[in-house]
Amino acid sequence: MPVNSFENYPMSWEPTIDRTLKPLYLTLANQLEEDIITGSLLPGTKLPPQRELADFLDINVSTVSKAIKVCELKGLLSATVGSGTFVSFDALSNSYLLSTDKQNNVIEMGATLPESNSYEPLMLQLKNMVNESDFAKWFSYSRSDDVLWQKDAALRFMSRGGYHADAESILFANGGQNAITAVLASLCKHGDKIGTNPHTYPGIKTTAAMLGIQLVPIKNKDGEMSEEALTYACKNENLKGIYLIPDYHNPTTDRMSLARRKAIAQVAKEHNIFIIEDATYHLLCKESVQAIATFAPEQTIYIASLSKTVAPGLRIAYVSAPEQYRKSLSNALYNLNISVSPLLAELAARLIVSNNLDAIIESNRKSTMYRNQLVSKFLSDYVCHGGGTGIFRWLQLPNNMTGADFEALALEHGIQVYAAERFTVGNSIPEKAVRLSICAPKTVEELEKGLMILQQLLRSLQ
């Protein structure tokens, strides 16, 4: 019989389970997942202590612990040492931003896309390759001679973002998301924990959930990951590594200071955790700041890609991996890809070493700055972080409207934006905000139309 300690404890969840279904922990886990999905357990709800729940159900505590762990690894729950276990605030949000069911006639301000000005010089570069007599070689596997010079191009590309790597450290991936997946698959095992910002890139959330890796939100200080909070998490959460976007953080647009980069690197070295440094947005910045990898080269996997600088379809990322991680990461990339596309690898390398990349970056910066000026004009009455050469903004919402509610409202009026809930990690409270992609609209006129509608919606909330 249960000891009935729950009679003196407020039971936020009182499940009923079919004891004939085995194993019992999966039955309980499935019930918990169903209650979260159907809304019986709302995001932010604190679950009863495991012992209280075991008493209530008259089952072993270990059965409850296993069920809780299953849901944690699916991203449905988030446990904090000393605070308890909560339904994750992002449990019901969709982290797959590039869905296939987008409505027609909707102004896209959700997906982060660079200016389309870069497509024409990219096409001209490709046409030049097509006209070469030995063009057919790009449809075969990569050759060692080609890879060597492409690595040189990768080093040049990385140096523009503030990191000077060695050629032997370079690996190739089919885009930044592919690289992140390979890192987690090669360096983590099921149940490991990775620290992130409280709001982070949804791609690492979907990958972590697929691999059974738990993301742990690390508190911010002044818009940057706190080294004190990271130290605490290393000691109490047994972190395996951390994931960071130091330049133009997605989605909040924050940029990490040089001092904080050094401090985070020092914590990683002291606690022997790895760092995934995602440099996707580094070329958006006019002036580079030294990469975190500079201060912790033996701890940091540095990832640089062209999708947000040149074109999303140019699925090439360069990964600089320390020697201790290189072989396992190389094996993971091989198992995922066999190899990257020789055609795209060559196209990207030629673009980097030519003057075309400089021209693309400069052209995109000018266009993006103009678009940001329009955003600041239409949304001048609201707090909208970002600007300058950034391709997205972080809009704070008035009157306690949640990001999820505003996303739905905007979509009703023909605008796709993405709510803070999509980016929230674990039991972090989502900001009342949405991310606006300002380069996704195909024309300036389309952007102005979208901004005008958003302005009207925001005014209606006041």
Side-chain angles (χ1 to χ4, degrees):
M1 294 292 292
V3 299
N4 294 331
S5 61
F6 58 86
E7 291 182 353
N8 298 316
Y9 187 87
M11 295 292 288
S12 57
W13 184 46
E14 298 182 356
T16 57
I17 56 175
D18 185 346
R19 297 172 186 270
T20 64
L21 298 176
K22 306 295 183 180
L24 199 57
Y25 81 91
L26 279 183
T27 302
L28 182 59
N30 291 336
Q31 182 62 55
L32 179 53
E33 181 174 1
E34 181 181 344
D35 286 350
I36 291 172
I37 292 173
T38 59
S40 297
L41 279 174
L42 298 176
T45 300
K46 183 178 180 179
L47 294 186
Q50 294 181 16
R51 185 168 298 281
E52 301 289 339
L53 201 50
D55 288 347
F56 178 82
L57 294 169
D58 196 14
I59 59 178
N60 293 329
V61 176
S62 61
T63 302
V64 175
S65 298
K66 285 182 180 180
I68 296 294
K69 193 63 178 179
V70 168
C71 291
E72 278 185 339
L73 296 179
K74 288 183 177 182
L76 299 172
L77 301 176
S78 181
T80 303
V81 175
S83 298
T85 301
F86 298 80
V87 178
S88 297
F89 278 100
D90 62 337
L92 302 179
S93 65
N94 183 4
S95 297
Y96 290 90
L97 303 189
L98 292 180
S99 63
T100 57
D101 57 352
K102 291 287 181 70
Q103 300 179 24
N104 294 326
N105 303 318
V106 169
I107 297 176
E108 179 62 73
M109 295 184 69
T112 51
L113 303 173
E115 272 280 358
S116 58
N117 297 337
S118 54
Y119 297 171
E120 185 173 353
L122 189 63
M123 180 181 64
L124 293 174
Q125 189 84 54
L126 182 58
K127 283 184 175 179
N128 289 335
M129 290 175 60
V130 171
N131 290 328
E132 294 177 7
S133 59
D134 59 347
F135 175 75
K137 68 183 180 182
W138 306 121
F139 294 104
S140 184
Y141 287 115
S142 300
R143 301 177 303 180
S144 57
D145 290 345
D146 297 326
V147 171
L148 287 175
W149 99 268
Q150 289 166 6
K151 285 188 175 184
D152 289 337
L155 296 177
R156 181 170 175 174
F157 185 71
M158 288 182 174
S159 67
R160 299 180 64 121
Y163 184 53
H164 300 278
D166 298 321
E168 60 268 22
S169 74
I170 300 299
L171 301 171
F172 296 87
N174 288 314
Q177 176 70 25
N178 180 243
I180 292 168
T181 301
V183 173
L184 294 184
S186 62
L187 302 187
C188 298
K189 63 180 184 296
H190 194 273
D192 279 347
K193 296 181 179 181
I194 300 294
T196 72
N197 292 90
H199 293 77
T200 195
Y201 167 54
I204 194 170
K205 295 173 58 178
T206 57
T207 296
M210 179 182 70
L211 297 174
I213 295 168
Q214 187 176 349
L215 298 184
V216 177
I218 310 299
K219 291 181 180 179
N220 282 358
K221 180 173 65 176
D222 303 324
E224 305 172 316
M225 182 178 286
S226 163
E227 64 266 35
E228 293 86 3
L230 177 58
T231 298
Y232 179 87
C234 288
K235 292 178 179 179
N236 294 279
E237 298 285 359
N238 194 28
L239 293 185
K240 191 72 176 287
I242 55 172
Y243 170 79
L244 296 165
I245 309 174
D247 293 308
Y248 219 86
H249 177 71
N250 181 12
T252 62
T253 77
D254 293 312
R255 194 176 194 200
M256 189 177 286
S257 65
L258 180 61
R260 192 64 56 85
R261 295 177 196 227
K262 291 180 178 179
I264 293 295
Q266 185 60 36
V267 173
K269 289 191 289 186
E270 289 175 357
H271 294 275
N272 194 30
I273 61 172
F274 66 78
I275 301 170
I276 304 173
E277 182 170 5
D278 188 344
T280 296
Y281 300 100
H282 71 288
L283 288 187
L284 299 182
C285 307
K286 285 188 174 181
E287 297 180 358
S288 65
V289 177
Q290 285 178 291
I292 296 173
T294 303
F295 310 109
E298 298 305 315
Q299 312 290 132
T300 308
I301 300 99
Y302 183 89
I303 302 172
S305 65
L306 293 89
S307 61
K308 307 305 181 186
T309 308
V310 180
L314 192 56
R315 304 305 302 167
I316 289 291
Y318 305 119
V319 183
S320 176
E323 185 177 359
Q324 63 174 321
Y325 307 133
R326 199 173 304 149
K327 183 175 181 181
S328 58
L329 180 52
S330 178
N331 289 341
L333 287 167
Y334 177 86
N335 288 324
L336 286 171
N337 310 317
I338 302 296
S339 71
V340 298
S341 163
L343 177 62
L344 293 184
E346 182 71 9
L347 177 60
R350 292 191 184 195
L351 191 71
I352 291 168
V353 301
S354 70
N355 292 326
N356 285 337
L357 181 62
D358 295 329
I360 287 171
I361 291 172
E362 187 57 33
S363 174
N364 284 355
R365 282 176 176 169
K366 287 182 179 179
S367 297
T368 302
M369 288 179 70
Y370 179 68
R371 287 181 178 237
N372 270 306
Q373 289 171 3
L374 290 176
V375 175
S376 297
K377 171 186 173 183
F378 279 94
L379 304 181
S380 59
D381 293 335
Y382 309 95
V383 177
C384 194
H385 300 283
T389 55
I391 62 175
F392 56 87
R393 303 287 288 267
W394 187 236
L395 173 65
Q396 302 289 329
L397 300 171
N399 291 344
N400 293 321
M401 169 159 276
T402 67
D405 287 343
F406 189 80
E407 178 182 326
L409 178 65
L411 191 57
E412 288 177 7
H413 290 79
I415 311 294
Q416 178 69 72
V417 299
Y418 286 143
E421 285 82 350
R422 292 179 180 263
F423 306 90
T424 305
V425 177
N427 62 356
S428 302
I429 299 175
E431 290 189 28
K432 293 178 173 58
V434 292
R435 190 189 71 183
L436 312 177
S437 177
I438 67 165
C439 294
K442 294 181 176 62
T443 65
V444 169
E445 290 73 23
E446 187 179 45
L447 173 64
E448 286 185 295
K449 180 181 177 181
L451 290 171
M452 191 175 299
I453 294 172
L454 292 177
Q455 181 190 62
Q456 292 170 351
L457 292 177
L458 289 166
R459 286 177 175 172
S460 70
L461 300 176
Q462 294 178 329

